[in-house]
Amino acid sequence: MSHDSTAAPEAAARKLSGRRRKEIVAVLLFSGGPIFESSIPLSVFGIDRQDAGVPRYRLLVCGGEEGPLRTTGGLELTAPHGLEAISRAGTVVVPAWRSITSPPPEEALDALRRAHEEGARIVGLCTGAFVLAAAGLLDGRPATTHWMYAPTLAKRYPSVHVDPRELFVDDGDVLTSAGTAAGIDLCLHIVRTDHGNEAAGALARRLVVPPRRSGGQERYLDRSLPEEIGADPLAEVVAWALEHLHEQFDVETLAARAYMSRRTFDRRFRSLTGSAPLQWLITQRVLQAQRLLETSDYSVDEVAGRCGFRSPVALRGHFRRQLGSSPAAYRAAYRARRPQGERQTDNEPSPPPPPALHPDSPGPVPPQLRRTASATAGAMGSSASLPSEHAREAYATSRASLPGQRSSS
């Protein structure tokens, strides 16, 4: 699944400055970046496959800082070009960033802002979205990144509309992808945008990957909590929700357990997880349904009840929207893929039933949750500032009239 902005045609029509060429792709590498993500745009745009019907791009590999650049496994790379080469590119790709907690070099951020101002298409693969966000290029725009880092991206850059469900997001002149292999999906999408379905299909065959993947990141999400949630007052509320998915409760219940109004709870929850609480709760229930469909022989009706859905119809609707198939079809496909020796036999016990439901007894609220909303907000405020915040704000203001920009409203 991808998100294509309705503003994309207008943004794509932006004129490149005279020194930039549409066929030139610059890939910006940093020390500490993972080699797999770094190699994806090099493989897609840097190899001549004209014999297979794939139009040729001209690749410029640029170091975003002084080399040599150390990567996965202790390998050291030397980029043939520096930041100055970006000035010739019609597309600039940032395949990964070494740490979601450290700021990128300001010189590289300036080069990205300048490239965007001059009409270049800017692409962030996986954690490369953090570099684009630090440059101010994602302010007011939809974007994605690896689902595990999406909450951090949403919390650190609240003006970015982070969607952890998508494999990639095309917002015209700024594009982002989810983790690792989703970078291939986005690069194929770029080739498809530039040269059509036939060229993208030919390249996909060479890479031995599907031309288009259906679905999004939902199927890969797990129940682990965001890295930064552990010390937050909402952590215990989230943990309680995960332990009681078999019960029928709503977001109002969670807000009450946090001693917050629904509005305050929604805002605080989104800042922590990058998702609205209702959407997060539905996703967790669907994930629980997946596990039961994979590991038990419960009927679909029973699975719906054990995952907190009010009816099997509700389960089927949410399941299909998130995973693209019905619960029954998902179970059949899952079992067909499993090796014969791993399939559950009739002699194997079914998973134990969940605890008995006690909807009228929500349980005691831990005393550490009894905090005021103002204290909670204060605890979160210190993580919002960035070393390059003023530069980001200045750039965002200066580009307010650029085509393809989404409004934050």
Side-chain angles (χ1 to χ4, degrees):
M1 181 189 298
S2 65
H3 174 97
D4 296 330
S5 169
T6 54
E10 181 184 3
R14 288 177 55 199
K15 187 175 180 181
L16 286 171
S17 69
R19 58 182 175 175
R20 296 184 181 274
R21 297 291 179 267
K22 183 178 179 180
E23 71 277 7
I24 296 179
V25 177
V27 177
L28 187 58
L29 300 182
F30 298 95
S31 188
I35 196 168
F36 186 93
E37 285 85 347
S38 301
S39 68
I40 288 172
L42 307 186
S43 298
V44 172
F45 302 112
I47 298 176
D48 186 353
R49 297 186 178 93
Q50 294 181 88
D51 62 320
V54 182
R56 186 175 184 180
Y57 290 88
R58 183 181 171 195
L59 180 71
L60 301 177
V61 182
C62 308
E65 54 196 340
E66 290 296 323
L69 309 176
R70 186 175 292 272
T71 185
T72 311
L75 297 175
E76 289 189 347
L77 307 177
T78 301
H81 303 282
L83 287 170
E84 71 285 346
I86 291 178
S87 63
R88 292 180 274 158
T91 299
V92 182
V93 182
V94 183
W97 174 237
R98 59 175 166 260
S99 171
I100 62 173
T101 59
S102 63
E106 192 60 40
E107 296 81 1
L109 299 181
D110 285 340
L112 288 172
R113 295 181 190 114
R114 190 160 50 250
H116 184 256
E117 288 170 349
E118 294 177 356
R121 176 172 53 189
I122 312 296
V123 181
L125 307 183
C126 193
T127 53
F130 283 80
V131 180
L132 273 57
L137 300 179
L138 297 182
D139 288 352
R141 292 179 180 264
T144 193
T145 187
H146 192 294
W147 61 264
M148 188 167 62
Y149 305 125
T152 304
L153 182 65
K155 178 180 176 181
R156 188 164 295 139
Y157 302 98
S159 61
V160 180
H161 307 315
V162 181
D163 190 343
R165 299 169 299 176
E166 304 290 359
L167 289 176
F168 65 83
V169 171
D170 179 349
D171 196 43
D173 53 353
V174 177
L175 303 87
T176 51
S177 82
T180 314
I184 301 176
D185 296 304
L186 179 50
C187 288
L188 284 173
H189 171 75
I190 291 171
V191 174
R192 187 180 301 110
T193 300
D194 290 348
H195 302 292
N197 289 327
E198 190 172 339
L203 177 57
R205 287 191 293 274
R206 278 294 183 95
L207 297 175
V208 197
V209 296
R212 294 176 187 262
R213 277 200 293 166
S214 60
Q217 291 194 82
E218 294 101 328
R219 67 189 67 187
Y220 306 108
L221 297 171
D222 66 19
R223 290 177 61 173
S224 59
L225 302 181
E227 221 172 79
E228 300 175 356
I229 200 174
D232 191 271
L234 291 189
E236 294 187 42
V237 176
V238 173
W240 181 90
L242 292 174
E243 292 298 321
H244 293 77
L245 289 174
H246 56 280
E247 299 180 15
Q248 289 185 11
F249 61 86
D250 55 18
V251 178
E252 295 288 351
T253 302
L254 300 180
R257 293 187 68 88
Y259 294 97
M260 294 180 185
S261 68
R262 172 64 187 271
R263 183 176 180 180
T264 299
F265 181 80
D266 282 3
R267 184 177 67 252
R268 294 280 296 107
F269 192 95
R270 187 182 290 274
S271 73
L272 274 175
T273 68
S275 174
L278 179 58
Q279 182 58 52
W280 177 87
L281 183 58
I282 291 171
T283 297
Q284 299 306 316
R285 294 195 189 282
V286 169
L287 288 169
Q288 180 73 351
Q290 275 185 273
R291 295 183 184 92
L292 290 179
L293 290 167
E294 293 169 1
T295 61
S296 78
D297 289 323
Y298 295 137
S299 69
V300 172
D301 289 15
E302 289 175 312
V303 169
R306 292 173 183 273
C307 295
F309 288 103
R310 297 187 181 278
S311 70
V313 173
L315 167 61
R316 290 186 179 96
H318 290 302
F319 201 96
R320 183 174 292 279
R321 276 191 290 274
Q322 293 203 19
L323 297 173
S325 70
S326 69
Y330 177 87
R331 169 179 272 167
Y334 176 83
R335 291 184 174 180
R337 289 195 303 267
R338 294 179 67 190
Q340 186 68 33
E342 292 183 10
R343 297 181 187 175
Q344 184 175 341
T345 66
D346 293 337
N347 296 326
E348 291 177 328
S350 296
L357 308 186
H358 296 287
D360 295 330
S361 302
V365 179
Q368 52 267 46
L369 282 181
R370 298 186 174 102
R371 308 185 187 183
T372 64
S374 60
T376 301
M380 296 294 296
S382 59
S383 63
S385 60
L386 292 168
S388 56
E389 182 176 354
H390 296 299
R392 285 199 320 108
E393 291 179 354
Y395 177 72
T397 302
S398 69
R399 70 177 183 85
S401 60
L402 290 178
Q405 181 181 350
R406 287 292 187 89
S407 101
S408 57
S409 57

